[in-house]
């Protein structure tokens, strides 16, 4: 990325100048930018700006808010190359993947928010009474690094559409695409103070936003551990907390699964280098087809290409950071130590890569659901395979986890698919690779979180419901 200036909540940041936090290109392990790491005082100033802007913005007509979001959508579409380049640099998504899936995820959520906003009834009649849907207030939005534009737009767009003012804290290790979005929000003409961005870490900016008395809501996507800390910090001020956390998705492959189910499941696990909270990382396979499934998984893993993010082509990139690479390697070692059968991959980098945070696409077979690799979210290109005999056993294994984000079912018996989908304890279930549409909610249960994002549910998350008796409208 060319060194350039980015608009951040009323100030400009030049990444070519020394700052408090280096952004590392995970493909090269070299600094690609520097940012100023904000403090609790910076968070206070951003919240004050958002609070001052709230009264006017919350009363802004829906048509005006929609027009500004429409302008933002146009500006976003025009900057595909810049945003893709930023995502590829900051978190290691291969450039073709960044320009397609990563970029498009932000675009489709912006478009869906606009559609929902234009059709949403903020005042609804209930006989003689009325329900008023009104913006909750100042929303603190804390986002992760793995799908930068997807998760930033899933929060920023509906919050602004609802009439909230926002303070965004993107991940400090992947902030560049969020800073570009801030530039576009400024260019679109949103009023001062409506959108604010503060770069910073969790203990500094994140903790202050979570506990701030003038923040009415925190929406967080990230690890379950961090979600617990945010919930505790927010408790004293009784603010709304919406959490989208980790996952350990089960992919149940029955003996009558579609022919490509196993191969697609392996590729789904490796997508984005396995750094997706809803990845199908536990493949449960009916015993009658288990041996063949393991062989298929081995072949797919060995064929999976790995390479630097700046190279074009169909490959996966590096993990996000040195610390995360070390974590993933430790979990692979745990799988070996606990007796899982290594089918493909293993410890270390792929042989052709001498630098960068690259991991080998790895498959473990003969895993039990009590092993560390079956219990913990690895967040890397690591698939575990578990055999089962009956439908009841498959459901029991799938549900025997503290998580509950996304699960997957592969069978051509549609009655069985319906039965299993109803019994899986998760916020989402994907049947035979038919992924959910953009007009459906995203989120989980138990330690995967408590909120729903996307479409109408995303907008409603930032609204309070007020009941008013009928006499004013009589």
């Amino acid at each position: 990325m060319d060194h350039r200036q980015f608009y951040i909540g009323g100030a400009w940041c030049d990444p070519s100048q020394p700052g408090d936090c280096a952004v590392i290109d995970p493909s090269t392990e070299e600094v690609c930018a520097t940012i100023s790491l904000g403090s609790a005082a910076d968070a206070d100033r951003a919240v004050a700006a958002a609070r001052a802007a709230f009264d006017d913005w919350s009363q802004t007509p829906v048509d005006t808010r929609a027009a500004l979001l429409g302008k933002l959508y146009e500006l976003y579409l025009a900057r595909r190359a810049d945003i893709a380049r930023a995502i590829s640099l900051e978190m290691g998504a291969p450039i073709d993947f960044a320009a397609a899936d990563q970029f498009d995820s932000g675009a489709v959520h912006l478009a869906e928010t606009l559609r929902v906003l234009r059709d949403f009834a903020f005042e609804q009649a209930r006989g003689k009474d009325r329900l008023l849907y009104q913006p909750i207030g100042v929303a603190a939005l804390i986002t992760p690094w793995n799908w930068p534009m997807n998760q930033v737009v899933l929060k920023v767009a509906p919050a602004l559409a609802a009439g909230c003012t926002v303070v965004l804290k993107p991940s400090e290790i992947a902030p560049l695409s969020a800073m570009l979005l801030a530039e576009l929000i400024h260019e679109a003409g949103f009023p001062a103070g409506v959108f604010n961005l503060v770069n910073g870490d969790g203990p500094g900016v994140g903790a202050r936003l979570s506990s701030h008395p003038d923040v009415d809501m925190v929406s967080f996507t990230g690890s379950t551990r961090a979600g617990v800390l945010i919930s505790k910090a927010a408790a004293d001020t009784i603010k709304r907390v919406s959490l989208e956390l980790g996952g350990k998705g089960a992919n149940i492959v029955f003996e009558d699964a579609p022919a490509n189910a196993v191969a697609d499941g392996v590729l789904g696990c490796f997508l984005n280098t396995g750094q997706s909270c809803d990845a199908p990382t536990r493949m449960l396979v009916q015993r009658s087809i288990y041996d063949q499934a393991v062989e298929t998984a081995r072949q797919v893993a060995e064929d999976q290409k790995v390479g630097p993010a700046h190279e074009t082509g169909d490959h996966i990139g590096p993990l996000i950071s040195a610390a995360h690479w070390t974590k993933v390697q430790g979990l692979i070692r745990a799988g070996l130590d606990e007796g899982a059968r290594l089918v493909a991959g293993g410890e270390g980098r792929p042989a052709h890569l001498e630098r960068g945070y690259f991991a080998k696409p790895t498959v473990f077979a003969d895993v039990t659901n009590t092993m560390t690799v079956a219990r913990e979210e690895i967040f890397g290109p690591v698939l575990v395979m578990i055999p089962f005999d009956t439908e009841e056993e498959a459901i029991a294994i799938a549900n025997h986890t503290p998580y509950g984000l996304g699960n997957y079912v592969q069978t051509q018996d549609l009655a069985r698919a319906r039965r299993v989908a109803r019994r899986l304890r998760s916020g989402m279930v994907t049947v035979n690779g038919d992924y959910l549409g953009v007009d459906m909610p995203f989120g989980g249960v138990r330690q995967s979180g408590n909120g729903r994002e996307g479409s109408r549910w995303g907008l409603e998350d930032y609204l309070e419901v007020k009941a008013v008796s009928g006499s004013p409208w009589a």
Side-chain angles (χ1 to χ4, degrees):
M1 170 183 288
D2 294 335
H3 283 142
R4 55 177 298 154
Q5 291 183 324
F6 296 96
Y7 183 77
I8 311 176
W12 292 88
C13 174
D14 185 351
S16 68
Q17 299 302 313
D20 298 317
C21 183
V23 180
I24 306 297
D25 179 348
S27 292
T28 65
E29 304 182 40
E30 296 177 355
V31 176
C32 63
T34 55
I35 60 169
S36 296
L37 205 62
S39 64
D42 294 314
D44 288 344
R45 285 191 286 271
V47 172
R51 176 57 62 195
F54 174 70
D55 282 348
D56 286 345
W57 180 246
S58 64
Q59 299 303 311
T60 300
V62 170
D63 288 348
T64 302
R65 299 203 298 267
L68 288 168
L69 283 166
K71 178 63 174 176
L72 175 61
Y73 178 64
E74 294 173 1
L75 293 170
Y76 183 90
L77 293 181
R79 297 290 291 275
R80 180 184 295 269
D82 289 341
I83 293 172
R85 176 68 171 153
I87 293 171
S88 185
L89 268 178
E90 67 189 356
M91 59 76 58
I95 188 63
D96 289 349
F97 180 69
D101 298 53
Q102 289 272 7
F103 174 87
D104 288 345
S105 65
V108 298
H109 291 308
L110 266 171
E112 177 64 7
T113 298
L114 268 169
R115 184 193 70 79
V116 171
L117 175 62
R118 288 167 174 152
D119 293 339
F120 192 84
F122 287 87
E123 295 189 7
Q124 299 179 16
R126 292 291 188 274
K128 67 178 183 62
D129 303 320
R130 294 294 187 276
L131 288 178
L132 308 184
Y133 288 81
Q134 298 182 317
I136 193 170
V138 175
L141 314 178
I142 304 175
T143 59
W145 47 261
N146 59 321
W147 286 84
M149 280 297 92
N150 180 73
Q151 285 144 326
V152 168
V153 172
L154 263 176
K155 298 182 190 302
V156 169
L160 295 178
C164 293
T165 54
V166 307
V167 179
L168 171 67
K169 190 204 87 65
S171 169
E172 69 274 17
I173 58 177
L176 302 181
S177 56
M179 294 163 71
L180 273 172
L181 183 69
E183 180 182 299
L184 300 182
I185 290 172
H186 177 63
E187 187 178 347
F190 283 81
V194 169
F195 174 87
N196 308 269
L197 186 151
V198 182
N199 283 314
D201 59 17
V205 173
R208 180 56 180 156
L209 291 175
S210 300
S211 62
H212 202 295
D214 281 336
V215 168
D216 301 289
M217 174 183 177
V218 178
S219 180
F220 170 76
T221 299
S223 71
T224 299
R225 178 194 60 82
V228 170
L229 294 174
I230 286 170
S231 297
K232 290 179 178 178
D236 287 342
T237 50
I238 319 295
K239 56 173 57 70
R240 183 182 298 177
V241 178
S242 179
L243 302 173
E244 195 276 285
L245 307 175
K248 194 68 178 177
N251 186 9
I252 304 175
V253 182
F254 288 96
E255 59 187 0
D256 66 339
N260 60 344
V262 172
D264 287 350
V266 179
L267 293 174
C269 176
F270 294 164
L271 183 72
N272 204 39
T273 319
Q275 298 171 133
S276 298
C277 51
D278 60 341
T281 54
R282 291 184 296 152
M283 184 178 286
L284 282 50
V285 184
Q286 197 153 23
R287 200 174 300 274
S288 59
I289 61 168
Y290 179 73
D291 289 343
Q292 181 55 56
V294 171
E295 175 59 20
T296 298
R298 181 193 65 77
Q299 293 174 354
V300 173
E302 291 182 350
D303 290 343
Q304 175 66 71
K305 296 178 181 178
V306 183
H310 62 267
E311 293 182 358
T312 60
D314 185 16
H315 60 279
I316 63 173
L319 297 168
I320 180 65
S321 68
H324 189 54
W325 187 89
T326 299
K327 174 197 170 187
V328 171
Q329 296 303 310
L331 288 166
I332 292 173
R333 169 44 54 186
L336 296 170
D337 291 344
E338 293 177 12
R341 173 161 61 99
L342 183 65
V343 174
E347 295 176 282
R349 292 186 182 90
H352 65 290
L353 295 165
E354 296 181 355
R355 63 185 309 189
Y357 309 129
F358 297 96
K360 297 176 183 177
T362 296
V363 176
F364 283 113
D366 304 344
V367 173
T368 66
N369 217 35
T370 60
M371 291 180 180
T372 300
V373 290
R375 303 294 296 169
E376 294 191 19
E377 184 180 37
I378 299 174
F379 228 57
V382 181
L383 176 73
V384 301
M385 302 185 73
I386 303 172
F388 71 87
D389 291 301
T390 67
E391 180 180 315
E392 287 295 320
E393 184 185 9
I395 294 169
I397 294 171
N399 286 338
H400 188 58
T401 173
Y403 295 107
L405 185 56
N407 285 310
Y408 302 77
V409 180
Q410 318 292 340
T411 178
Q412 297 183 73
D413 182 340
L414 298 186
R416 175 161 60 192
R418 290 191 292 270
R419 286 196 307 271
V420 175
R422 289 190 177 101
R423 293 185 60 190
L424 290 174
R425 297 186 65 193
S426 57
M428 301 173 291
V429 177
T430 299
V431 177
N432 294 334
D434 187 8
Y435 287 92
L436 294 169
V438 71
D439 59 344
M440 293 292 282
F442 187 98
V445 299
R446 296 186 288 169
Q447 290 191 24
S448 288
N450 57 17
R452 294 294 182 273
E453 294 187 305
S455 196
R456 179 186 180 91
W457 295 267
L459 183 66
E460 289 180 344
D461 207 24
Y462 296 92
L463 295 169
E464 294 280 22
V465 179
K466 179 185 291 182
V468 182
S469 64
S471 56
W473 284 272

